Amino acid sequence: MTERTVVLIKPDGIEKHIIGKVIDRFETAGLKVVALKMVQLTQAILDVWYAHHKDKPFFPSLSEQMMSTPVVAFMLEGDGAIQKAFDICGPTDPADAPAGTIRKDFGVDKPHNVVHRSDSAEAAAKEIGLLFTPEELY
Ligand code: CMP
């Protein structure tokens, strides 16, 4: 089934100058970039984006980290895009991530795991609505 999903290259990925390398992983896997931009996230966006983490002790530091530089946000389209993007990124903790995943290859720890990816169809729909307008879709 053709799906759309969202990936963010987080501030730690921006600071490592690996934007091209990260995007390459998805394009090489056959996923199509159908929207892409740099965005300065705000607390208002993050309150909705990470609503399921709002009560966690790490939410304030996660928010601060996510607003510390602009992020690169892109939308991917393809057959099974949500699971494919999930697998290309790897699990949240780079220490648990298999070799060849973005988080294993470039991540340091949970707060510095380089990328965010939608973890379900519901999350993808929410995240697309938060960051992209229909006019931005190629
Ligand atoms: P992400 O996929 O963006 O979803 C929520 C983020 O919170 C996650 O990646 C991590 O960067 C961060 N995170 C999750 N768990 C922890 C934790 N225990 N401590 C610090 N940060 C975390």
Side-chain angles (χ1 to χ4, degrees):
M1 185 174 66
T2 300
E3 295 173 331
R4 287 185 184 143
T5 189
V6 176
V7 174
L8 302 181
I9 305 179
K10 298 181 178 188
D12 55 310
I14 303 296
E15 283 168 350
K16 284 187 170 134
H17 307 129
I18 53 172
I19 294 170
K21 286 180 181 166
V22 169
I23 294 174
D24 182 57
R25 300 278 178 113
F26 299 99
E27 292 195 306
T28 299
L31 293 171
K32 186 173 154 192
V33 176
V34 291
L36 182 147
K37 60 184 175 181
M38 266 187 136
V39 191
Q40 176 60 55
L41 295 175
T42 62
Q43 191 64 61
I45 293 172
L46 290 166
D47 285 348
V48 181
W49 190 277
Y50 285 137
H52 51 300
H53 289 311
K54 251 192 122 175
D55 296 330
K56 307 262 173 67
F58 60 82
F59 183 69
S61 61
L62 171 64
S63 298
E64 193 182 329
Q65 156 75 0
M66 292 297 288
M67 294 188 290
S68 63
T69 73
V71 299
V72 171
F74 52 100
M75 205 191 302
L76 295 166
E77 186 179 88
D79 188 39
I82 295 170
Q83 187 64 46
K84 275 186 190 162
F86 197 98
D87 293 343
I88 290 165
C89 293
T92 303
D93 190 344
D96 299 332
T101 61
I102 291 170
R103 285 171 166 171
K104 182 65 164 189
D105 294 350
F106 303 116
V108 175
D109 53 18
K110 283 188 198 172
H112 306 94
N113 59 0
V114 179
V115 277
H116 167 88
R117 73 289 184 267
S118 311
D119 60 8
S120 65
E122 294 70 32
K126 180 177 100 170
E127 292 166 8
I128 288 168
L130 271 172
L131 284 192
F132 294 98
T133 64
E135 295 73 33
E136 289 173 317
L137 188 64
Y138 165 50

